[in-house]
Amino acid sequence: MHSLPVIAVTVGEPAGIGPDICLRLLERARQAPFAARIVVLADRFLLAERAALLQVPISLRDWDASLPPRVDTLDVLHLPLAVPACAGRLDPANAQQVLALLDRALAGCQSGEFAAMVTAPVHKGVINDAGMHFRGHTEYLAEHTGTSRVVMMLAGGGLRVALVTTHLPLKEVPAAVTAVALEETVRILHREMGRKYGIPRPRILVAGLNPHAGEGGYLGREEIDVIIPVLERLRAQEGMALLGPLPADTMFSQPVLARGDCALAMYHDQGLPVLKYASFGHGINVTLGLPIIRTSVDHGTALDLAGSGEADPGSLFVAIEQAIEMACR
């Protein structure tokens, strides 16, 4: 049992559903044990309080890698909150602890203590309200690993959808879809599909930026000036299997999807609504290009559900399963 990989799970925003779904890990482990050891990074007292609120009987144990795992006990790496957290009520005073969870999980992955990290949702707004610039997990982990470019990919419902740009205002997207950004993204996606999914020569469907992929320049020139030259160069020089640029409104039709192993969208709300429609509650977020393995749930903090017992832990379970598979691969 001690040879099993160790997966670190950060509880995320303490006022959200992160604690609720982490408490469900024991329920899942009793039904179908994970092929790994799971350690939850959280305030131990927060988990105990939320368990009492939800009337979930649970045994918590301070994380000790030398102790054998127990199916009736949740291992917790305790990182204290600044102030007690109330379900559904954000408090900027605890924002620093939320980031400390990420820092500790990242340090453990870098040192080899953990094989991967899985993140429950955080609330970007309250972290920024606390005076700390935070665009999201993806950008934060890239900065703290010194990675110049990472790629956000969501997977679920039979789809894998990666993004060229992530958390940007829509008006800033066209300028951010540069030849450099697109080429680096395609290279990372191509490489990581082999490393993380065992597909060494993936077929990548690439969306255009504009409606109808620009309609030959009548609806925008980004396809002609940027996207087509990059795809042609990578096909010719690297032999990559790249299909596109495709109109985004038809790229996600079944006949087209059958021709690819993954899809690349130019911006957040071009690709992710389709994926979340197909898989919400059981999709996951994978950060490609990092020197560590990181997966995440595909949903937010759901403050209105926190402490209600109605939060669905399915996405967390899938994120952990995928992290284990990637670590073993």
Side-chain angles (χ1 to χ4, degrees):
M1 295 295 288
H2 282 54
S3 65
L4 292 174
V6 179
I7 308 298
V9 179
T10 59
V11 78
E13 168 54 48
I17 61 171
D20 303 40
I21 59 179
C22 285
L23 289 170
R24 301 282 297 276
L25 288 171
L26 281 185
E27 174 188 324
R28 158 59 202 265
R30 286 191 289 266
Q31 296 174 352
F34 292 109
R37 297 195 63 180
I38 309 299
V39 53
V40 177
L41 278 61
D43 184 305
R44 180 175 60 250
F45 301 106
L46 166 69
L47 292 176
E49 291 166 1
R50 192 65 62 86
L53 176 64
L54 296 170
Q55 298 183 337
V56 175
I58 194 166
S59 174
L60 304 176
R61 179 177 66 176
D62 287 331
W63 166 246
D64 184 338
S66 67
L67 296 176
R70 295 175 54 180
V71 295
D72 62 345
T73 301
L74 189 65
D75 286 318
V76 181
L77 200 165
H78 175 63
L79 290 169
L81 291 166
V83 298
C86 179
R89 189 178 304 166
L90 296 171
D91 192 332
N94 285 323
Q96 186 60 60
Q97 188 259 7
V98 173
L99 298 185
L101 299 176
L102 299 180
D103 294 340
R104 179 63 181 85
L106 176 57
C109 288
Q110 291 175 318
S111 70
E113 178 185 8
F114 306 137
M117 63 185 288
V118 178
T119 55
V122 299
H123 193 284
K124 301 179 185 68
V126 75
I127 296 174
N128 283 279
D129 287 345
M132 293 169 284
H133 178 64
F134 184 83
R135 289 172 53 200
H137 280 111
T138 302
E139 296 85 355
Y140 186 87
L141 293 172
E143 178 183 352
H144 284 72
T145 57
T147 307
S148 60
R149 182 173 298 279
V150 295
V151 175
M152 176 189 289
M153 185 175 79
L154 270 73
L159 302 175
R160 301 185 188 99
V161 181
L163 305 175
V164 176
T165 65
T166 54
H167 301 116
L168 286 179
L170 191 57
K171 67 180 181 180
E172 297 179 14
V173 169
V177 180
T178 64
V180 171
L182 178 58
E183 179 169 342
E184 291 180 349
T185 299
V186 173
R187 287 183 180 277
I188 291 169
L189 178 57
H190 186 275
R191 181 183 72 234
E192 294 284 75
M193 286 295 293
R195 291 180 177 178
K196 288 184 167 60
Y197 290 95
I199 304 174
R201 190 173 183 270
R203 300 167 300 162
I204 302 174
L205 310 176
V206 182
L209 174 67
N210 297 295
H212 301 178
E215 196 78 64
Y218 289 101
L219 295 178
R221 291 193 55 85
E222 285 82 3
E223 288 77 14
I224 294 171
D225 295 340
V226 177
I227 300 175
I228 291 173
V230 169
L231 300 186
E232 288 181 344
R233 182 166 62 252
L234 291 174
R235 292 186 194 108
Q237 296 179 357
E238 308 292 340
M240 292 185 185
L242 307 173
L243 181 63
L246 301 167
D249 61 347
T250 56
M251 185 173 76
F252 293 103
S253 64
Q254 288 302 322
V256 179
L257 288 173
R259 301 168 65 188
D261 298 299
C262 59
L264 180 62
M266 293 296 120
Y267 58 94
H268 189 281
D269 281 14
Q270 183 185 56
L272 298 196
V274 177
L275 183 135
K276 292 194 176 187
Y277 176 79
S279 66
F280 194 74
H282 294 84
I284 66 166
N285 184 342
V286 183
T287 306
L288 306 178
L290 290 172
I292 64 163
I293 295 170
R294 178 257 172 169
T295 65
S296 180
V297 297
D298 72 341
H299 56 74
T301 53
L303 297 171
D304 58 324
L305 295 180
S308 70
E310 297 179 8
D312 185 348
S315 181
L316 178 66
F317 296 167
V318 176
I320 292 173
E321 292 167 354
Q322 288 288 298
I324 295 168
E325 288 184 18
M326 292 175 187
C328 293
R329 182 172 288 116

